[in-house]
């Protein structure tokens, strides 16, 4: 008798050593004694499972072109077919059927922890529904209704398996799981809550795969479906646990409407002022099915979303939803031009002015934050405290949203390419501000900006240290955004007055996180390439001032576009001032010679700004530059090109992205 890696399925699943003489049955199966067990003892070598990288595989599952790889893909598809057929097998549940239920259960637990922005899955109810699904697997009547509850539940199951594949180390194709999930939706005669949930999970998966237009479309179908359900729903149908699950599914649609954003100032499908459903109830009440406590948002536009103060994370989903609403407003403002947008009075308003958009957004963010107890704010409270309570991911998401909002608001007024001697002083490219800032204003904005980027990095670092890592598309975007500012202040430390003492370690942490992230989500490859390019650019610009003298934002519009989470759009040839004023032209995008040959200009904040640039240039990010002013590629002599067209949310550009190269149109 020998101990070997050859084992039967029962011993391998039980993680016990399979002892045999080289032929079945093994000792354990012999000891069981039952004929069916002895007869089914088959000795096999172990199947080497490997983590399935989302979006790294094509829909065929083939990585390369070798015959061996094609054979492995074919084997994987064959196993998935058996895995799928197990859901309609008659008779007593087989091992594959039980394995299916087990994997879905694991995926559901991962989903609840890793994706708090989609907090609609009531685990007790869902796990109970899996028993119903298990019963349908052994149904001997032969009836298979395409619109049956079991079919719709299986749609959610396959969507969960696709989205949570990085945590399951699954050998089955995520793309096949998504196809099966979509099939369950198409089989439905009319929208139902399970179909909406399936679409939301698929939308999150598509976003992580970098197929943002698909994600946006799936999210849109989910939104219209939930609106239809709410319109057709009778009042008594919204009571109880089913009503609360539907309510949370609505708020998940609300979040996805703001999260899967195509980078353009488009109207939201679910504006908060039109919402007439109640906020999500507390986590404890939701878990125990106690659904009597309900609070509705105020419908008056501009009013606070809720005056409640939050002492703990019991109502964390409501707080996260409110945070995403503020985030979407900030993103829409930036995508629509940001600080370059004219006010209603056709003036450039300084950010400290009470009637400026920036101040309104900042105040709303501040009020939302102030209603949260220090116990649920980072860095006032450590991640490890909430990790010990099993709520680290909810705590992390809440604080990632806040620091990301503060990062975007602060980044809007700093120069894209400062000099090593530059200090916080406001914008240095048009439109320039005509008023002096209050004392210490820019110093405080720099402190907030770079402390938020460091906090985002620290949150993700501490989650790893506490053995509760998070790796979702949103957390990846937060890490990417933090990396852009950590790299910035590493090479230009005076922009935070030397206060970013951990910048080097933060950049290393960001790079390590994104390096791991890009192996799990395809969209991470774009972000990785961007920070590689930024680091090269800022390193050269900080060490060679003469070569980069006079360079400003307009020389890097395309690179700035991906950093600002928006599509690449450029200004028109001419813009006519209000009241029929004269037409204005734009200076060349890239000064190719030294400052002495660039014509009249002024040095503002160590940057050369053309005298032809003025407040009228506020229109610069609203349309397209004329051909003669198209952004040209700036080369540094080593062949590095800094102003390629960078795709982020638009997948109409099929580009090759590799760490050693630069993607371009």
């Amino acid at each position: 008798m020998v101990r070997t890696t050859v084992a039967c399925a029962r011993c391998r699943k039980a993680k016990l050593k399979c002892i045999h003489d080289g032929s079945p049955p093994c000792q354990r199966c012999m000891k069981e004694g039952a004929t069916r067990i002895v007869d089914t003892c088959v000795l096999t070598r172990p199947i080497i499972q490997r983590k399935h990288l989302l979006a790294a595989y094509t829909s065929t599952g083939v990585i390369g072109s070798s015959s061996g790889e094609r054979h492995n893909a074919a084997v994987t598809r064959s196993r998935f077919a058996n895995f799928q057929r197990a859901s309609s097998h008659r008779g007593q549940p087989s091992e594959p059927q039980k394995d299916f239920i087990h994997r879905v259960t694991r995926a559901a637990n991962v989903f609840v922890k890793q994706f708090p922005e989609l907090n609609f899955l009531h685990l007790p109810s869902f796990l109970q529904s899996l028993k119903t699904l298990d019963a349908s697997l052994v149904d001997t009547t032969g009836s298979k209704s395409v619109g049956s509850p079991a079919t719709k539940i299986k749609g959610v199951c396959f969507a969960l398996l696709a989205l949570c594949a990085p945590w399951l180390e699954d050998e089955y194709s995520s793309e096949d799981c998504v196809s099966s999930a979509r099939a369950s939706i198409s089989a439905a005669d009319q929208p139902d809550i399970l179909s909406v949930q399936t679409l939301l999970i698929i939308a999150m998966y598509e976003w992580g795969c970098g197929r943002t237009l698909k994600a946006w479309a799936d999210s849109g179908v989910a939104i219209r479906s939930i609106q239809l359900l709410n319109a057709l729903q009778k009042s008594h149908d919204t009571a109880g646990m089913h009503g609360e699950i539907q309510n949370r599914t609505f708020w998940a649609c609300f979040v996805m409407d703001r999260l899967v954003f195509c980078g353009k100032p488009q109207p939201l499908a679910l504006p908060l002022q039109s919402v007439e459903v109640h906020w999500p109830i507390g986590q404890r009440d939701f878990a125990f099915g106690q659904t009597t406590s309900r609070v509705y948002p105020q419908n008056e536009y501009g009013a606070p979303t809720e005056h409640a103060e939050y002492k703990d994370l019991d109502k964390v989903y409501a707080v996260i939803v409110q945070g995403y609403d503020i985030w979407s407003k900030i993103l829409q403002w930036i995508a629509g031009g940001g600080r370059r947008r004219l006010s209603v009075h056709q003036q450039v308003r300084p950010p400290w002015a009470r009637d400026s958009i920036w101040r309104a957004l900042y105040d709303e963010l501040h009020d939302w934050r102030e209603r949260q107890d220090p116990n649920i704010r980072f860095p006032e409270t450590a991640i490890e405290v909430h990790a010990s309570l099993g709520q680290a991911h909810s705590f992390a998401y809440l604080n990632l949203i806040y620091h990301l909002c503060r990062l975007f608001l602060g980044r809007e007024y700093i120069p894209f390419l400062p000099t090593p001697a530059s200090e916080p002083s406001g914008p240095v490219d048009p439109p320039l501000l005509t008023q002096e800032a209050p004392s210490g204003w820019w110093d405080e904005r720099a402190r907030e900006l770079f402390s938020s980027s460091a906090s985002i990095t620290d949150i993700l670092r501490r989650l790893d240290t506490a053995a509760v890592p998070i790796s979702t598309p949103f957390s990846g975007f937060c890490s990417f955004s933090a990396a852009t500012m950590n790299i910035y202040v590493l090479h230009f430390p005076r922009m935070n007055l030397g206060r970013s003492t951990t910048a080097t370690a933060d950049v290393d942490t960001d790079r390590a996180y994104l390096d791991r992230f890009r192996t799990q989500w395809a969209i991470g490859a774009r972000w990785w390439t961007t920070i590689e390019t930024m680091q090269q650019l800022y390193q050269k610009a900080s060490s060679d001032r003469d070569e980069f003298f006079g360079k400003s934002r307009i020389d890097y519009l395309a690179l700035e576009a991906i950093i600002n989470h928006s599509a690449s759009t450029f200004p028109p040839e001419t813009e006519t001032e209000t009241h029929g004023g004269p037409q204005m032209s734009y200076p060349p995008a890239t000064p190719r010679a030294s400052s002495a040959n660039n014509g009249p200009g002024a040095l503002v904040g160590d940057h050369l700004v053309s005298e032809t640039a003025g407040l009228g240039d506020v229109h610069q990010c609203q349309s397209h530059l004329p051909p003669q002013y198209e952004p040209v590629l700036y080369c540094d002599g080593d062949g590095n090109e800094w102003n390629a067209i960078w795709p982020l949310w638009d997948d109409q550009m099929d580009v090759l992205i590799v760490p050693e190269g630069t993607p371009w149109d």
Side-chain angles (χ1 to χ4, degrees), residues 644-647 652-655 662-665:
I645 304 302
W646 292 78
Q652 70 269 20
M653 288 181 269
D654 186 14
V655 297
T662 304
W664 48 6
D665 186 1

Side-chain angles (χ1 to χ4, degrees), residues 154-220:
K154 280 187 280 189
V156 177
C157 293
F158 280 114
L160 287 172
L161 289 173
L163 181 63
C164 300
W167 295 272
L168 301 179
E169 296 186 348
D170 231 337
E171 63 179 345
Y172 303 111
S173 166
S174 297
E175 294 294 332
D176 286 340
C177 288
V178 169
S179 297
S180 296
R182 289 190 185 277
S184 73
I185 300 173
S186 61
D189 294 330
Q190 62 182 14
D192 62 272
I193 198 66
L194 292 173
S195 298
V196 175
Q197 292 175 351
T198 301
L199 282 167
L200 289 172
I201 299 171
I202 291 175
M204 182 66 73
Y205 170 79
E206 297 286 10
W207 181 32
C209 290
R211 298 189 288 261
T212 320
L213 295 183
K214 280 188 176 182
W216 187 51
D218 289 329
S219 174

Side-chain angles (χ1 to χ4, degrees), residues 470-486:
I470 192 170
S471 184
T472 67
F474 180 71
S475 68
F477 179 71
C478 290
S479 178
F480 163 70
S481 299
T484 63
M485 289 297 95
N486 291 333

Side-chain angles (χ1 to χ4, degrees), residues 340 342 348 430-431 575 577 584 586 613-620:
R340 296 169 181 83
L342 290 173
V348 176
E575 288 286 351
E577 287 185 345
M584 295 171 291
Y586 296 92
L615 298 182
D617 288 329
V618 72
H619 299 283
Q620 281 188 41

